[in-house]
Amino acid sequence: MSGQPRPRVFIVDDHGLFRSGVRSELGDDVEVVGEAEDVAPAIDRIAETLPDVVLLDVHLPGGGGQAVVTAMKQSHPQVRFLALSASDAPEDVIAVIRAGARGYVTKTISGTELVDAVRRVAAGDAVFSPRLAGFVLDAFAAAPPGQQLPSLDPELDQLTTREREVLRLIARGYTYKEIARELFISIKTVETHVSSVLRKLQLSTRHQLARWATERRLA
Amino acid sequence: MVVVEEPEPTGWTPPGHAARTEDRPWPGHRHFGRGPRRWGGWHQGEPLRRAREDRLVGGVAAGLAARIGRDVTTVRIIFVVAAVLSVGFFAAAYVVAWMLIPMQGAQRNIAGKALTDRRGLALAAGYGSLVIILRILVSVFRVGWLGSFFWPLAIAGAGLILIWRNADKDEQAMVQNLVQPVAGLTAKSRRAGFIIRLTVAVILLVSGITALQSAHENIALLRPLAGVALLISAVVVLLGPWWLRIARDLVVERQARVRAEERADIAARVHDSVLQTLALIQRRADQPQQVKALARAQERELRSWLFDGRPPGSIDQAAITLAGGIRLIQQEVEAQHGVAVEAVTVGDCPLDDDLTALLAAAREATVNAVKWSGASVVSLFAEVEPGEVSVFVRDRGQGFDPAAVPSDRKGLAESVRARMARRGGLASVRSAPGEGTEVSLTMPRAATTRSQA
């Protein structure tokens, strides 16, 4: 792993204690280029430092994590976001993902797993925590007959069987490597499936997703 | 109490019974046709045994039929006729034979066991004395033909009591079934007992009043009546306390059994909760914060058990849905064991008994993973699908070799597998040393929760 380039990371969180905790957990595997504790300073400093990955707390005082993502998407689309949260609320997580974050992990994640997740996001892949995988399975579950809404784009509004299998294994606590072994596919294929799910998550107009998004004023 | 007679085969005989008697592989068949040795063979060939398969009551007739090579129905008819002709004495003999002849495949007969059953002997003697006193009373009233019934009644009844107390489990059940309609006085169904008591009381009352009225014409007739009354009071004074003590002993015996069962139940629960917590506290003695949390959680659980009657380790009304139950497991395990549980649920549905059992198994598997894997986080995933509910408990701890675990290990084998199997669910464990463990639980959904979802 030491041969890989060190990703440049920016941390946005309103708790100083948590920022320093993450900083020490990431250790020497990444280069922390800056920190911010609110939306406005975060937008300025990220534009200055142009990190590979922004570790973004979902809950920020000045408008929430997705405000940062939305602002940066206009000006600097190459900056990637990994959302961190202690909350379980699906609407928070879905909102920040739909705003453009490439993954979501809980704050209980271990140091090595966090470094792994940062590397993945830096490489353009998606990172799903077990909880996010659960949300997505829930949101894309077959709607009961009668409540089925006309779908504008069936390809975007449905998960393939393989994608479901991958999400299910993530929810069961499997790593990408273990999923690859379980399903007899390569790790690259697992990453492709997860990225495809992320795309659907961001673009789909499914009823559930749309509802979560509008609740956070994010059409 | 003529129930000891072989009842008519009709109604009792299972269908196809006669055919079975023919092709049954019963060793006695081989002796058929040896002529002179038929009776001489009693003590030399295979000994006479009561039949286990073909019996209607004690299996004496079937055993004898097989031994001498005759058709069992013929023997039964002979038995019944003999019982009627001998005014019940043959029935009493039947009961004695039941006690003396061992069951096929058994070493000892019931009589041998009964000799060591002091309480049973006392009960039989008490019953016998009661019947004999009744006989004396009846003879005083000059109903002679009825009196001849009493000896067989006394012998057969006492024999049945000993058989009931000392026979095997299945035979005991058989005696109970036989005696139930007659022993309505002590039967569990109170109404039947009441009706029988009422009938007996009315008969006694009517016959008593009739006797008194007919005695009016001749005052001399009152004398034996007074004698009877005196006799009864004498018997009650003499034997009453003894009968009472026997009855009380039986009650005490039953209470002791109930208490023993209760104690076993409590021991199991205490093991599941308090002892586990104490073991954890010892292992975490250097972490006062966790010890405190453990003690608090255990106190809460114990209180809710002692004062609210909610058994420890149970998942009940507190969680109304499956997802709520999973959350509860997560909270409880995290609070008690200080290991993070990552719980994810997809879909939700109301709980029924099957799904409550699934949750109990999931809880057990989670606690097991937290305690033995050494992992810092345990994943708990539940998915509700239209036809079934699946739960996966995964840790990335030390793992184990499932083939190397002795089959009598209680935790996972008994609690999880058996719990699931009892409800028609499945449980499987996948583990390898160094690779962690995953327990998969699947429970089919009952039609009720399926329609509500």
Side-chain angles (χ1 to χ4, degrees):
Chain A
M1 286 275 184
S2 55
Q4 291 177 6
R6 295 200 309 163
R8 300 172 70 248
V9 173
F10 192 97
I11 303 170
V12 184
D13 197 300
D14 54 331
H15 295 286
L17 208 61
F18 181 77
R19 286 201 305 272
S20 59
V22 169
R23 208 186 247 275
S24 71
E25 273 194 334
L26 290 173
D28 293 335
D29 293 324
V30 304
E31 183 191 351
V32 179
V33 294
E35 288 178 13
E37 57 178 341
D38 205 348
V39 176
I43 293 172
D44 294 344
R45 297 273 291 124
I46 292 169
E48 261 171 53
T49 51
L50 290 180
D52 297 321
V53 177
V54 177
L55 283 179
L56 180 68
D57 187 7
V58 172
H59 297 278
L60 286 177
Q66 78 262 29
V68 182
V69 186
T70 320
M72 294 313 294
K73 250 188 131 169
Q74 314 289 326
S75 52
H76 301 92
Q78 76 275 29
V79 176
R80 294 179 172 129
F81 288 87
L82 174 59
L84 271 162
S85 155
S87 112
D88 297 349
E91 60 270 19
D92 293 357
V93 180
I94 298 288
V96 77
I97 293 279
R98 276 173 80 87
R102 298 218 39 97
Y104 161 75
V105 289
T106 41
K107 283 186 172 176
T108 51
I109 192 171
S110 75
T112 49
E113 281 177 308
L114 183 58
V115 171
D116 198 44
V118 167
R119 282 225 178 84
R120 258 179 227 294
V121 171
D125 291 321
V127 171
F128 278 21
S129 75
R131 188 156 289 139
L132 177 57
F135 291 160
V136 177
L137 281 172
D138 241 349
F140 281 90
Q147 293 179 29
Q148 203 100 48
L149 291 175
S151 177
L152 296 174
D153 189 345
E155 195 275 325
L156 273 181
D157 290 352
Q158 270 164 26
L159 299 180
T160 65
T161 315
R162 206 45 151 183
E163 285 163 359
R164 267 178 209 287
E165 278 175 343
V166 169
L167 286 178
R168 230 174 240 140
L169 287 171
I170 293 177
R172 276 159 67 177
Y174 282 57
T175 63
Y176 284 16
K177 206 168 95 188
E178 288 165 337
I179 294 170
R181 202 173 49 187
E182 177 79 17
L183 298 179
F184 303 105
I185 53 181
S186 71
I187 297 182
K188 197 67 221 158
T189 314
V190 176
E191 286 168 347
T192 311
H193 284 307
V194 179
S195 293
S196 152
V197 172
L198 181 80
R199 198 173 66 89
K200 291 178 181 180
L201 195 55
Q202 288 172 340
L203 300 178
S204 166
T205 52
R206 258 187 91 89
H207 170 65
Q208 292 259 36
L209 297 170
R211 182 171 59 82
W212 279 334
T214 42
E215 271 171 10
R216 304 296 294 185
R217 276 177 249 103
L218 223 188
Chain B
M1 268 285 194
V2 225
V3 282
V4 289
E5 289 173 4
E6 286 274 7
E8 290 293 333
T10 47
W12 280 75
T13 318
H17 171 80
R20 242 185 356 158
T21 326
E22 297 301 319
D23 53 37
R24 186 174 30 126
W26 177 238
H29 266 307
R30 272 179 266 129
H31 291 278
F32 178 50
R34 289 202 184 169
R37 286 199 54 202
R38 213 173 74 192
W39 292 102
W42 276 109
H43 305 288
Q44 294 165 16
E46 284 155 73
L48 178 68
R49 289 283 181 267
R50 287 184 293 118
R52 193 181 284 279
E53 303 293 326
D54 273 344
R55 64 175 182 205
L56 286 186
V57 181
V60 176
L64 186 65
R67 180 69 183 77
I68 63 178
R70 293 273 186 242
D71 179 42
V72 67
T73 315
T74 320
V75 177
R76 282 194 180 123
I77 291 170
I78 293 171
F79 271 30
V80 173
V81 170
V84 172
L85 288 183
S86 66
V87 211
F89 269 98
F90 191 83
Y94 181 95
V95 173
V96 172
W98 187 350
M99 288 172 67
L100 291 179
I101 302 170
M103 169 73 89
Q104 174 196 359
Q107 292 301 314
R108 296 175 62 191
N109 58 12
I110 297 172
K113 256 191 275 181
L115 284 179
T116 59
D117 175 24
R118 293 181 66 181
R119 196 164 286 159
L121 287 174
L123 196 67
Y127 163 81
S129 62
L130 190 72
V131 172
I132 289 163
I133 285 159
L134 271 177
R135 188 208 181 280
I136 293 167
L137 290 184
V138 165
S139 73
V140 167
F141 279 113
R142 314 272 158 100
V143 210
W145 60 270
L146 208 63
S148 51
F149 270 125
F150 277 102
W151 284 109
L153 203 58
I155 294 169
L160 276 179
I161 287 171
L162 289 176
I163 290 169
W164 172 59
R165 289 185 54 92
N166 294 290
D168 296 339
K169 280 255 151 42
D170 52 337
E171 277 201 285
Q172 284 181 355
M174 179 160 278
V175 176
Q176 219 148 24
N177 281 341
L178 283 175
V179 176
Q180 210 142 43
V182 187
L185 295 160
T186 58
K188 274 180 194 146
S189 70
R190 287 219 181 126
R191 199 195 281 169
F194 177 73
I195 289 170
I196 291 174
R197 264 208 314 278
L198 198 70
T199 318
V200 171
V202 166
I203 291 170
L204 283 179
L205 214 65
V206 168
S207 52
I209 289 168
T210 320
L212 278 177
Q213 278 177 344
S214 60
H216 256 300
E217 296 180 5
N218 191 344
I219 207 102
L221 262 178
L222 274 178
R223 236 176 271 157
L225 210 63
V228 167
L230 277 175
L231 201 68
I232 291 174
S233 31
V235 165
V236 167
V237 166
L238 259 179
L239 298 179
W242 182 44
W243 289 336
L244 271 180
R245 203 177 61 227
I246 291 168
R248 212 172 41 229
D249 279 359
L250 279 178
V251 171
V252 167
E253 199 183 50
R254 187 161 52 200
Q255 280 172 346
R257 206 166 44 236
V258 169
R259 265 202 302 276
E261 277 165 15
E262 224 163 57
R263 199 157 39 229
D265 190 40
I266 289 174
R269 291 214 165 129
V270 167
H271 170 263
D272 276 357
S273 60
V274 180
L275 289 184
Q276 298 254 35
T277 306
L278 287 176
L280 279 171
I281 285 177
Q282 286 170 36
R283 273 167 53 178
R284 306 246 177 96
D286 52 334
Q287 294 155 295
Q289 210 51 46
Q290 288 205 359
V291 169
K292 236 186 260 173
L294 281 170
R296 241 197 328 269
Q298 185 56 66
E299 184 195 336
R300 205 164 45 229
E301 189 182 88
L302 212 54
R303 273 180 196 285
S304 74
W305 180 33
L306 292 176
F307 305 119
D308 308 334
R310 202 184 126 211
S314 75
I315 293 161
D316 54 6
Q317 299 85 359
I320 317 143
T321 66
L322 187 94
I326 294 285
R327 253 197 314 279
L328 200 71
I329 293 174
Q330 178 194 24
Q331 287 162 9
E332 279 185 13
V333 173
E334 281 184 345
Q336 280 177 24
H337 301 272
V339 172
V341 176
E342 176 123 38
V344 177
T345 51
V346 172
D348 202 358
C349 68
L351 287 180
D352 59 7
D353 287 353
D354 289 352
L355 297 181
T356 309
L358 173 73
L359 281 179
R363 184 185 195 279
E364 183 75 30
T366 312
V367 170
N368 219 54
V370 161
K371 266 169 46 187
W372 304 114
S373 71
S376 61
V377 60
V378 173
S379 303
L380 179 58
F381 173 63
E383 184 172 19
V384 179
E385 283 168 291
E388 61 181 28
V389 178
S390 328
V391 177
F392 299 88
V393 181
R394 172 160 167 85
D395 67 69
R396 222 174 262 113
Q398 55 191 16
F400 63 94
D401 182 3
V405 176
S407 54
D408 58 344
R409 266 269 308 273
K410 212 181 161 192
L412 212 57
E414 168 55 25
S415 294
V416 175
R417 281 222 184 88
R419 226 175 255 188
M420 294 297 291
R422 272 199 290 274
R423 297 273 174 185
L426 283 176
S428 66
V429 179
R430 208 164 65 167
S431 184
E435 299 207 352
T437 306
E438 185 172 54
V439 179
S440 323
L441 309 166
T442 316
M443 182 68 77
R445 283 176 71 183
T448 48
T449 61
R450 212 177 295 170
S451 60
Q452 283 171 32

